[in-house]
Amino acid sequence: MKEYFDKIYKGTKQEFYKIVEENLKQDKKMFIITANPETVMKAEENTKMKEAYLSSESTVIADGIGILKGAKMLGYNICETIPGVELSTALLQYANTHKKTIYLLGAKPEVLEKLVQRIKTEYKDVQILGTTDGYVQDKESTFREIAKLNPDIILVALGIPMQEILIFEHLKQFSKGIFVGVGGTFDVLSGTKRRAPQIFIKLKLEWLYRIVREPKRIKRFINSNIKYLMRINKEKRNKHD
């Protein structure tokens, strides 16, 4: 597990946002992976996901209290979480300030439509180069088309590990761009789903709010988190032996 925690960004949220904004302004390339226990376990199970996660081309941030807790157990100091929904909002703000372009891939057609309307209303200086919903069959071909458009920001909402693998496999086709796999973020940004109330966010309990709202998540949550906890405990024991 050590290699996964070695890779995670250790600075503050504000410091990270400054790096992202600077890369955006200078037309640099940056592939951001938002890590929670499920991300780590998917990397353990999937060779391509692991390659993407540990690649020198990716930057991994802690998106979830589980990562902070696991890090602490193993002796790592990770400042704070950087939730994907907050990073996506920051990217839209930077894109608006610096008049940058964006491409949106993923989610249901109606969710994507609502998100486009919100961006056009609230971020008038962001140019949307294109959108494709998550139900497109040939995602490889779609990504090749996105590369031709050369957008400044590419947000991919296809779920772990598909979104990360797809970005990683096509990264070399791009000369610039901030790439982020954002999971269910389009649902929140579009207003289709509510983000957890502030008290849940403050207490780092957004995961609990999501489970209460969507009980079908329980099995997935338990599977990934129990496996993750077992691996952390095993690593901790080995460290002390």
Side-chain angles (χ1 to χ4, degrees):
M1 295 295 277
K2 189 177 181 294
E3 58 189 343
Y4 297 114
F5 287 95
D6 284 340
K7 190 75 167 65
I8 297 172
Y9 176 77
K10 309 296 190 299
T12 67
K13 188 189 297 183
Q14 289 311 313
E15 287 166 347
F16 184 71
Y17 286 169
K18 282 179 185 173
I19 294 167
V20 172
E21 185 177 15
E22 202 54 40
N23 284 342
L24 183 65
K25 281 164 66 178
Q26 294 183 16
D27 289 335
K28 290 187 177 177
K29 195 158 53 168
M30 188 179 194
F31 169 29
I32 302 167
I33 294 176
T34 60
N36 57 32
E38 185 182 12
T39 314
V40 173
M41 296 322 297
K42 290 289 184 189
E44 278 285 87
E45 297 160 10
N46 187 303
T47 308
K48 285 184 179 178
M49 178 64 189
K50 186 173 184 176
E51 190 184 347
Y53 187 110
L54 298 176
S55 168
S56 59
E57 294 183 278
S58 66
T59 301
V60 182
I61 56 174
D63 178 6
I65 189 67
I67 293 294
L68 264 59
K69 298 277 189 189
K72 192 174 181 183
M73 288 169 74
L74 296 178
Y76 289 87
N77 182 27
I78 297 174
C79 281
E80 57 187 321
T81 58
I82 307 173
V85 67
E86 291 180 18
L87 173 61
S88 299
T89 302
L91 277 168
L92 286 171
Q93 289 166 353
Y94 300 148
N96 195 55
T97 301
H98 304 295
K99 296 180 169 55
K100 295 292 185 176
T101 60
I102 192 167
Y103 196 102
L104 307 169
L105 169 61
K108 295 177 181 175
E110 58 271 26
V111 170
L112 208 47
E113 201 175 309
K114 284 181 182 177
L115 179 54
V116 166
Q117 286 310 311
R118 187 188 167 199
I119 293 171
K120 285 180 177 177
T121 304
E122 296 182 28
Y123 305 95
K124 296 186 192 303
D125 287 324
V126 175
Q127 185 187 351
I128 301 171
L129 290 187
T131 66
T132 305
D133 67 63
Y135 295 86
V136 63
Q137 291 300 308
D138 191 349
K139 293 176 176 64
E140 303 290 332
S141 177
T142 299
F143 233 86
R144 287 193 291 273
E145 290 303 312
I146 297 170
K148 288 177 188 174
L149 294 169
N150 208 24
D152 298 304
I153 297 169
I154 302 91
L155 300 182
V156 184
L158 296 171
I160 302 166
M162 185 189 291
Q163 59 196 20
E164 286 79 16
I165 292 169
L166 194 63
I167 292 170
F168 184 62
E169 288 183 336
H170 292 271
L171 209 53
K172 286 180 172 60
Q173 297 171 19
F174 293 79
S175 60
K176 64 172 183 178
I178 309 294
F179 299 78
V180 194
V182 296
T185 294
F186 287 4
D187 291 315
V188 178
L189 292 182
S190 66
T192 307
K193 288 182 183 174
R194 280 179 58 206
R195 194 180 176 191
Q198 203 58 40
I199 185 67
F200 282 84
I201 296 170
K202 192 176 179 182
L203 295 172
K204 309 292 184 192
L205 291 172
E206 280 193 84
W207 59 270
L208 179 60
Y209 178 80
R210 286 195 290 267
I211 284 174
V212 170
R213 297 277 293 187
E214 299 175 66
K216 64 182 180 182
R217 285 176 174 263
I218 292 174
K219 187 180 177 184
R220 180 176 136 192
F221 177 84
I222 289 173
N223 280 344
S224 61
N225 280 265
I226 285 177
K227 285 180 187 174
Y228 172 78
L229 195 57
M230 286 169 67
R231 285 300 309 275
I232 293 287
N233 281 322
K234 184 182 177 184
E235 190 89 11
K236 191 179 178 184
R237 282 196 305 273
N238 291 343
K239 193 179 174 185
H240 293 297
D241 286 345

